[in-house]
Amino acid sequence: TLLEVCKEILFELKRIQDEGPTQEELARVIVSAESERLYVTQTADGVAGRVGFLKFVLGDLRFDEGYLDDLRLVDANRVREVAREYLDFRRMAGAILVPKDFKDVQAEQISDLAKKILKPSAPVGEVLSGAATRGKKKETLIEQIKLSSGIQVLYYPRAHSHVFSAHACMMGGLRLEMAQAAEKAAQDWGSSYMMSLTWSKGTSTKTAKQISALVESHAASIDGFSGRNTVGIQMTGLAKDWGALSPLFSEVLFDPSFTEDEVEHARRIAEDQVKSIEDHSSQLCTKLFLKTLFEAHPYGHLTSGSLASLATIRQAKLKKFHDAWVKPERMVISLSGDVKKGALDLWLTELEKSAIAHTQGTAIPFQQLSDEPELVADRWVEEVLKREQTHIIVGGL
């Protein structure tokens, strides 16, 4: 039965906790690892894939030279220690795939079995998080830093990670571009989306090509983002390249150029996005739903704009929104990864200088939007398409 199968699996995990693997099992793992390495390097395609993995995922082209030697040093005691630390039923998740007519899925009994067989190695409440190191160290806390300029920084050091990720976010997006328009709401609709497409495509000192070359040479990424009420940029890269990439993050954040040729290129992308909505039944259903639910609020629109509004968006408009929204007192920056505190402090000092140099004037106060009229009855909207699918959205304020 299913219960008996689960019991045998749990007993096998318990055996590894108590005894560790046998020498035969360890030898089989070594042979599997060796054969995998040999098979994958038999072809030029396999070698290229492996080299790319070593460089951009592990960051060490010489990793394979010592990996098998290190693997051979792992003994039953080491495996047993790891099993005792991590094979805790409180961390366990199970997935069971059975035929449709199968009725004997005894989830509670399986859970009870796990509790009995996989006894916890730590008292309840002391289960270590995935970010914790071995032993009973407390989970690393996120440090909150507020700079004198008003920028709020959330710093989450993760020493075990070889990657960093940084996000800078401000209020903006669909809500503000239409509620506090640079020209008119109908013309400014989609400005945030256009900003996200062009934000990282050049600064006053670097062209889009130069930024792309720098980012790609470090196997990193930097992009703008926008939503219904936020805008910002995000960067991900290898932790060892933090010193080379962090100044670029600051420069793109505060000094984007929004050149006309990049804006024109982004416009074509945005227009294709708008045109494609009619081809996707789910997106079209969302568009109709929002338009029907919201009578006055900007949320009655999709974030991508319209063909008419996109045609009016130029460099000057994007710069105007950037100047209005990218203010230190309205900015939150989050950083996670293996970035040392000293390196962070040096970067924040330079970041503050950039913020002061490139942000002029006081932020425009947020405008209070009028309340949506109450729903006094059901509102329905329907569009019949000659397609073999149906999409339904039900919702309210």
Side-chain angles (χ1 to χ4, degrees):
T1 66
L2 178 61
L3 190 62
E4 291 172 339
V5 170
C6 292
K7 183 186 292 185
E8 289 303 314
I9 292 173
L10 292 166
F11 276 133
E12 183 65 14
L13 296 177
K14 179 63 174 173
R15 179 183 70 83
I16 298 297
Q17 280 186 328
D18 293 342
E19 304 170 11
T22 64
Q23 287 302 315
E24 181 182 352
E25 288 169 330
L26 288 172
R28 194 158 59 239
V29 171
I30 299 296
V31 171
S32 176
E34 288 176 331
S35 61
E36 178 189 5
R37 196 62 38 76
L38 292 173
Y39 289 142
V40 80
T41 55
Q42 283 188 105
T43 64
D45 180 63
V47 172
R50 186 62 187 173
V51 170
F53 175 82
L54 294 177
K55 174 64 176 175
F56 297 117
V57 177
L58 300 182
D60 182 5
L61 288 173
R62 296 183 176 275
F63 176 82
D64 282 347
E65 295 178 9
Y67 173 69
L68 290 176
D69 291 336
D70 292 340
L71 202 60
R72 294 187 184 97
L73 295 176
V74 177
D75 58 15
N77 288 333
R78 180 72 185 101
V79 176
R80 185 170 66 242
E81 289 176 5
V82 172
R84 287 177 175 175
E85 184 171 351
Y86 291 102
L87 299 184
D88 188 317
F89 76 85
R90 292 168 295 183
R91 288 194 175 118
M92 188 176 72
I96 301 172
L97 185 65
V98 296
K100 287 183 179 180
D101 57 353
F102 191 88
K103 305 296 183 183
D104 192 29
V105 179
Q106 302 161 314
E108 290 186 2
Q109 289 180 277
I110 295 171
S111 179
D112 291 340
L113 267 177
K115 293 177 183 178
K116 292 177 182 178
I117 296 173
L118 299 179
K119 294 180 181 179
S121 58
V124 175
E126 293 186 17
V127 179
L128 304 181
S129 71
T133 54
R134 294 184 62 226
K136 293 186 178 181
K137 295 182 179 179
K138 294 182 179 179
E139 184 178 357
T140 303
L141 296 177
I142 297 173
E143 182 179 353
Q144 300 184 43
I145 306 166
K146 186 166 184 177
L147 305 182
S148 58
S149 62
I151 298 175
Q152 297 183 66
V153 181
L154 302 175
Y155 170 53
Y156 185 15
R158 305 183 72 214
H160 65 285
S161 174
H162 296 295
V163 174
F164 76 85
S165 185
H167 289 229
C169 188
M170 290 70 61
M171 298 299 291
L174 174 68
R175 186 183 189 279
L176 289 192
E177 74 188 22
M178 300 193 74
Q180 295 176 271
E183 295 179 26
K184 295 180 180 179
Q187 295 178 333
D188 292 351
W189 178 22
S191 294
S192 299
Y193 182 52
M194 288 283 286
M195 182 185 294
S196 71
L197 295 175
T198 54
W199 200 325
S200 62
K201 306 303 182 185
T203 68
S204 63
T205 64
K206 292 181 178 64
T207 64
K209 187 175 182 180
Q210 289 172 324
I211 291 175
S212 178
L214 176 59
V215 169
E216 290 180 10
S217 68
H218 292 286
S221 65
I222 182 170
D223 296 289
F225 63 85
S226 68
R228 304 180 80 189
N229 54 25
T230 57
V231 293
I233 63 167
Q234 57 192 16
M235 171 183 276
T236 299
L238 299 178
K240 66 183 182 65
D241 295 329
W242 169 253
L245 293 172
S246 54
L248 177 65
F249 182 88
S250 304
E251 184 175 350
V252 170
L253 172 60
F254 290 113
D255 190 28
S257 56
F258 300 119
T259 58
E260 287 292 3
D261 58 336
E262 291 295 341
V263 172
E264 188 60 36
H265 176 65
R267 190 187 339 276
R268 292 193 293 271
I269 296 174
E271 288 173 343
D272 287 343
Q273 169 69 19
V274 171
K275 293 175 184 176
S276 70
I277 291 173
E278 301 297 324
D279 298 328
H280 295 85
S281 300
S282 61
Q283 294 182 26
L284 181 57
C285 189
T286 300
K287 176 182 176 181
L288 295 172
F289 171 75
L290 294 175
K291 184 177 180 180
T292 305
L293 176 63
F294 293 100
E295 293 184 338
H297 198 283
Y299 286 177
H301 300 72
L302 295 177
T303 58
S304 51
S306 68
L307 295 180
S309 66
L310 292 172
T312 70
I313 297 173
R314 296 284 186 270
Q315 177 190 46
K317 184 178 292 187
L318 297 184
K319 278 184 169 292
K320 189 170 183 178
F321 277 123
H322 179 273
D323 291 343
W325 295 343
V326 183
K327 300 292 186 183
E329 63 271 25
R330 291 184 176 177
M331 186 180 301
V332 175
I333 295 177
S334 59
L335 172 66
S336 68
D338 188 19
V339 177
K340 301 297 184 288
K341 186 61 165 59
L344 172 67
D345 291 340
L346 289 174
W347 177 63
L348 291 180
T349 300
E350 295 303 315
L351 179 80
E352 190 116 79
K353 293 178 182 177
S354 296
I356 295 171
H358 291 97
T359 56
Q360 305 297 326
T362 57
I364 301 172
F366 292 134
Q367 179 178 327
Q368 183 67 36
L369 298 181
S370 58
D371 292 336
E372 273 288 315
E374 291 187 10
L375 289 168
V376 296
D378 295 343
R379 296 178 188 168
W380 292 82
V381 61
E382 181 180 13
E383 184 160 336
V384 179
L385 306 172
K386 294 181 179 180
R387 299 175 188 172
E388 295 299 322
Q389 54 182 217
T390 300
H391 291 265
I392 301 173
I393 296 178
V394 179
L397 296 174

